[in-house]
Amino acid sequence: MENTPYLKTDLPSNQSVLNGKLQAKLDYIGDIQNAVATNDDRRVYELLDSQKYNTKIRQTQNAASNRALSVLVDDMQDELSHHLGQQLIQYLSEKFPFFYYEETQLGVFQLFFGNWWDRRHFGILDPLAVNFIFNDQEYEKLARAVELSEAGQRYNAQVIEDTTRANEALQQIVADQNQRDAERAQLMAQLASSEDRGGIFGNRSQNEQREVLKERLAQLDAADDKAKEVPELIAANNAQILNLSKEDTILIYEQRAISDTFGSFANFQEAVASLYETYVTYLADAQGGK
């Protein structure tokens, strides 16, 4: 058999491409490290999400994503959030002076509304996205309170009114005790008289009359049982009214704080929605360019 040489696999070198990609990753990490070391938060935001930065700050159309590089620092989110939170909170203390922040774990900032008693937990501050993540229920409560205030109403006014009316009805049950006692005595006398007249074999009309009397006596007994519960029920209703009144007061404080700072709730909403742009632009202006 004739010796035929075997084919050899010949792979082209891609070393230059590989080196280029590795260098890009090294450069990215170096840029992040330098930006953190020099407290250049504007640059950090650009490096974390260049597409968002270029779209919102430079107004670039169809900006490219750098996600392939930013994934390299995904395991440093808590540390980066803590770092960025320091300068961001200083800025927010002037722009949103009614908010207070508590770092409950590294890079996690709980958001509270107000420096007054019984202030509300209002959500979370996300320094990486430069964004308030409001508690939906609390935010909707405030928005509804603003809407009602424009009509001269308080958020809990209707519930407080209904509960007050319920207390008045409960008080009346107690106030009617003497009247019920007198009526019971009269009904008992009528029932005894009816039974004496009719005996065991009373006619149908007398039996029906006795049933009516017994039914009314049962209603009076139920009212007496209810009267025993009245103090506890009124106390619970009063506690609810007090809590709702406190909540209305807090909501008034919050609305006043927003109005004093922004002029209107609509302006506040706009400031929240554009927080990333306004803050990062502030950083860029402070450092002399975008």
Side-chain angles (χ1 to χ4, degrees), residues 3-290:
N3 290 332
T4 303
Y6 291 104
L7 296 176
K8 294 182 178 181
T9 302
D10 188 14
L11 296 177
S13 173
N14 74 334
Q15 186 172 348
S16 61
V17 175
L18 179 59
N19 285 339
K21 290 186 175 182
L22 289 171
Q23 189 60 50
K25 293 180 183 292
L26 292 172
D27 290 344
Y28 177 82
I29 292 297
D31 288 342
I32 284 277
Q33 185 179 29
N34 181 66
V36 169
T38 59
N39 288 318
D40 187 354
D41 288 0
R42 181 212 64 81
R43 179 62 172 151
V44 174
Y45 284 116
E46 181 180 12
L47 290 166
L48 287 178
D49 191 340
S50 64
Q51 186 177 50
K52 180 179 181 180
Y53 184 95
N54 288 325
T55 299
K56 292 183 175 291
I57 306 304
R58 295 194 176 109
Q59 305 297 312
T60 303
Q61 298 292 326
N62 302 317
S65 171
N66 71 332
R67 182 58 185 154
L69 293 173
S70 66
V71 70
L72 294 172
V73 294
D74 276 359
D75 61 346
M76 306 176 200
Q77 299 293 294
D78 294 342
E79 291 82 359
L80 287 168
S81 179
H82 173 84
H83 173 81
L84 294 170
Q86 297 175 74
Q87 191 170 178
L88 174 59
I89 287 175
Q90 289 181 6
Y91 172 85
L92 293 175
S93 66
E94 297 182 4
K95 303 300 181 181
F96 296 82
F98 42 78
F99 282 155
Y100 170 80
Y101 313 89
E102 181 180 343
E103 189 174 20
T104 51
Q105 64 185 68
L106 187 67
V108 178
F109 297 92
Q110 303 299 326
L111 173 65
F112 296 87
F113 200 131
N115 60 355
W116 42 77
W117 50 265
D118 207 22
R119 65 184 171 209
R120 289 197 292 160
H121 178 257
F122 211 65
I124 295 174
L125 170 67
D126 181 1
L128 294 171
V130 193
N131 185 39
F132 294 121
I133 304 174
F134 293 138
N135 178 295
D136 288 341
Q137 182 177 353
E138 299 299 332
Y139 182 81
E140 289 302 322
K141 187 182 296 182
L142 175 59
R144 178 59 179 161
V146 170
E147 182 181 346
L148 288 169
S149 69
E150 294 174 353
Q153 301 175 17
R154 293 192 176 189
Y155 182 78
N156 291 307
Q158 188 59 55
V159 178
I160 289 175
E161 182 180 341
D162 292 343
T163 308
T164 301
R165 208 177 280 122
N167 271 355
E168 292 171 354
L170 289 170
Q171 290 281 17
Q172 191 61 47
I173 292 176
V174 175
D176 290 342
Q177 184 66 58
N178 290 338
Q179 181 179 337
R180 285 196 303 276
D181 290 343
E183 183 180 358
R184 179 180 287 103
Q186 181 181 4
L187 292 173
M188 293 291 291
Q190 291 177 1
L191 184 61
S193 175
S194 174
E195 289 175 348
D196 287 344
R197 289 196 309 271
I200 298 176
F201 302 105
N203 61 40
R204 181 175 179 181
S205 176
Q206 290 174 326
N207 289 336
E208 289 177 350
Q209 182 183 19
R210 283 196 290 270
E211 288 303 315
V212 170
L213 293 173
K214 290 178 181 180
E215 182 178 349
R216 179 54 184 161
L217 284 168
Q219 292 173 352
L220 293 176
D221 290 341
D224 284 349
D225 290 339
K226 187 73 171 179
K228 296 175 185 178
E229 302 173 0
V230 163
E232 183 177 349
L233 293 173
I234 288 180
N237 285 343
N238 285 338
Q240 182 185 23
I241 290 172
L242 178 60
N243 288 332
L244 293 175
S245 297
K246 287 180 178 179
E247 184 175 62
D248 278 342
T249 301
I250 293 298
L251 288 167
I252 289 172
Y253 285 164
E254 292 174 355
Q255 293 173 73
R256 187 175 300 159
I258 289 174
S259 179
D260 289 346
T261 303
F262 294 99
S264 70
F265 190 68
N267 290 341
F268 164 72
Q269 291 175 305
E270 184 178 344
V272 169
S274 61
L275 182 57
Y276 178 90
E277 294 93 318
T278 54
Y279 177 60
V280 178
T281 298
Y282 159 80
L283 292 176
D285 290 343
Q287 293 164 0
K290 298 180 182 180

